[in-house]
Amino acid sequence: MPYTVPKLTDYSANGLLKAFADAKLAFRDEMREVKSEAEWKVFRDLWMARKNGILTQINDQLKKAPKEVKREFGQHLNELKQYIKSEIDSWHSFTEGGAGQLTAELERVDISLPGVRRAIGAEHPVIKTTNEMVRVFQKLGYSVAEGPVVETDYYNFESLNFPPNHPARDTQDTLFIAGQQSKPQRDRLLLRTHTSPVQIRTMETMRPPIRIVIPGTVHRNDPPDASHSPMFHQIEGLAVDTSITFGDLKGTLDHAMKEFFGSNVKTSFRPSFFPFTEPSAELFVSCFICGGSGKRGPDNAPCRPCKQTGWIEILGCGMVDPNVFEFVKDNGYDPKKVSGFAFGMGADRIALLKYGVDDLQLFFQGDVRFLQQWA
Ligand code: PHE
């Protein structure tokens, strides 16, 4: 199907970027099919004819575009024009005169032609966010630990103080692996619903004191939408030593949030519940988008990311529950002798907020035009 200029309705920066990327890709695909001088002339006119060529049609849209986007639109159009013109000219220069006898097919094996330049990959925005956050904790002396995505009931639940049939298990929307009924409950496999099982796994192999940060993939039975995905990413942390207090937890996380979001954010801890921490809290940071006012811009538009509250929830945390230490007591974690804190946050949500993306699904669709924005 030859390219036709779509009606443009989305004049946002992203909308324009996408419209022009589409046109460029279509041009490239179509140009690849041009095999003869006659086809080349038709193709050139299709895109470049003054009267009704595709570039002219886009130029007509520019005339109708809202005043405030004209400049940006014009820049995109100029870039596209230059690209198309140089591509079309260079095709022609190879087929002019004597070389016109050569078929396009033969040219493709001309080893003197410059090679195809492959685009260099870039970090995915979620991985980039994860790495940045992990780095903040590495600078505080934390090491990175990882664990399996397919977990046992024991590590995901039981050893984290969710006893069998405890109602707190319901909140985890677990995806279970089929065919496990013949095993004892603690050995049954599931997709881990959080990175917290790596707390226990690490304490089984490393004696205290420990400071670890745990990035990883987790799964929950949530249908995909703009803010949910059955697969997402967490960053967990655990510090255990002989005299760790809630003050250490607050100081560490306050520092980490300032380091990550900027030194002017404030933090606020609000009481919460997790079976494996006691006491537990949720950490909020003052909204780094509206500066905590709940309003945006000169016309005081409501700030959506913080729902006009001025605060954004970032993570769950708390002091490691003594019942958790009981499971690793023999490796030096006597709850009478050690204490610690733990925290866990959603990397995808933080990436959404940080980059102002409004649909989580965009992270997982693999559309290069979207991902290129971080290249
Ligand atoms: N594992 C919790 C969750 O996924 C987060 C958390 C981690 C809370 C560590 C407290 C301590 O919701």
Side-chain angles (χ1 to χ4, degrees):
M1 273 289 283
Y3 178 75
T4 50
V5 182
K7 221 180 145 116
L8 192 64
T9 47
D10 179 1
Y11 290 102
S12 67
N14 271 343
L16 289 175
L17 203 66
K18 181 173 177 325
F20 278 94
D22 283 346
K24 187 170 170 181
L25 284 177
F27 171 83
R28 249 205 312 225
D29 287 347
E30 288 177 22
M31 172 130 167
R32 232 174 261 142
E33 303 303 317
V34 174
K35 301 268 158 53
S36 68
E37 179 79 15
E39 281 176 12
W40 174 82
K41 280 198 173 124
V42 175
F43 181 67
R44 179 197 56 190
D45 292 345
L46 178 72
W47 284 84
M48 300 195 15
R50 236 163 261 253
K51 208 172 155 221
N52 231 7
I54 288 172
L55 288 174
T56 304
Q57 291 176 42
I58 300 178
N59 200 45
D60 291 342
Q61 289 198 337
L62 169 61
K63 287 186 206 144
K64 282 184 254 149
K67 234 208 236 110
E68 62 278 13
V69 304
K70 281 212 156 93
R71 201 183 129 89
E72 198 175 349
F73 194 127
Q75 279 169 355
H76 279 301
L77 179 55
N78 272 341
E79 230 170 77
L80 183 67
K81 256 188 204 159
Q82 273 175 17
Y83 172 77
I84 287 180
K85 188 168 179 327
S86 86
E87 288 291 296
I88 285 189
D89 287 351
S90 71
W91 191 97
H92 195 232
S93 66
F94 281 113
T95 54
E96 241 167 5
Q101 305 301 316
L102 280 175
T103 64
E105 215 47 55
L106 260 177
E107 264 167 61
R108 288 207 183 131
V109 292
D110 180 346
I111 56 164
S112 68
L113 284 174
V116 178
R117 194 170 299 182
R118 284 186 201 285
I120 305 172
E123 266 177 336
H124 186 282
V126 174
I127 301 302
K128 189 174 157 78
T129 301
T130 303
N131 288 344
E132 284 168 14
M133 188 63 86
V134 165
R135 190 84 198 101
V136 167
F137 287 96
Q138 282 182 314
K139 283 206 242 166
L140 290 174
Y142 286 57
S143 5
V144 177
E146 286 181 299
V149 175
V150 178
E151 256 304 358
T152 60
D153 185 283
Y154 176 77
Y155 286 112
N156 198 76
F157 289 125
E158 194 180 330
S159 63
L160 289 167
N161 200 29
F162 292 80
N165 305 318
H166 193 282
R169 288 184 172 219
D170 284 356
T171 63
Q172 299 277 314
D173 299 310
T174 313
L175 291 162
F176 294 94
I177 307 280
Q180 303 285 304
Q181 283 75 4
S182 61
K183 296 183 183 169
Q185 175 151 6
R186 56 178 4 231
D187 298 335
R188 291 185 198 165
L189 298 175
L190 45 81
L191 296 180
R192 70 174 177 193
T193 59
H194 49 182
T195 38
S196 303
V198 188
Q199 290 187 29
I200 294 286
R201 285 186 173 276
T202 309
M203 288 192 284
E204 280 179 349
T205 56
M206 288 167 66
R207 298 176 71 83
I210 55 168
R211 279 159 186 69
I212 49 168
V213 56
I214 308 155
T217 308
V218 303
H219 292 78
R220 290 191 196 181
N221 184 17
D222 281 328
D225 66 21
S227 56
H228 293 85
S229 163
M231 186 281 302
F232 58 103
H233 301 83
Q234 287 192 337
I235 305 158
E236 183 101 7
L238 173 69
V240 182
D241 207 332
T242 47
S243 54
I244 292 202
T245 67
F246 200 85
D248 295 317
L249 162 94
K250 287 183 75 175
T252 303
L253 291 179
D254 182 73
H255 167 84
M257 295 301 114
K258 289 187 161 69
E259 179 97 3
F260 186 84
F261 292 111
S263 55
N264 43 3
V265 300
K266 296 194 187 71
T267 54
S268 162
F269 291 80
R270 310 188 186 172
S272 184
F273 173 79
F274 301 100
F276 39 95
T277 48
E278 182 61 33
S280 304
E282 262 142 26
L283 167 66
F284 288 69
V285 302
S286 55
C287 181
F288 39 86
I289 291 142
C290 66
S293 66
K295 302 258 187 297
R296 281 174 85 175
D299 45 352
N300 277 340
C303 181
R304 260 207 303 167
C306 68
K307 302 193 191 86
Q308 301 180 62
T309 63
W311 294 94
I312 295 184
E313 187 189 332
I314 296 291
L315 55 79
C317 58
M319 301 306 290
V320 179
D321 193 303
N323 291 346
V324 172
F325 286 138
E326 287 291 340
F327 287 94
V328 283
K329 199 172 176 171
D330 294 344
N331 200 31
Y333 294 88
D334 181 344
K336 292 202 189 67
K337 294 194 184 128
V338 296
S339 60
F341 64 76
F343 57 86
M345 62 190 107
D348 319 76
R349 212 176 96 78
I350 294 173
L352 285 181
L353 292 165
K354 178 161 179 179
Y355 296 118
V357 174
D358 55 14
D359 185 351
L360 177 59
Q361 297 309 314
L362 290 165
F363 283 154
F364 307 129
Q365 286 162 348
D367 187 328
V368 172
R369 292 167 301 182
F370 171 73
L371 298 171
Q372 248 164 7
Q373 297 175 80
W374 288 272

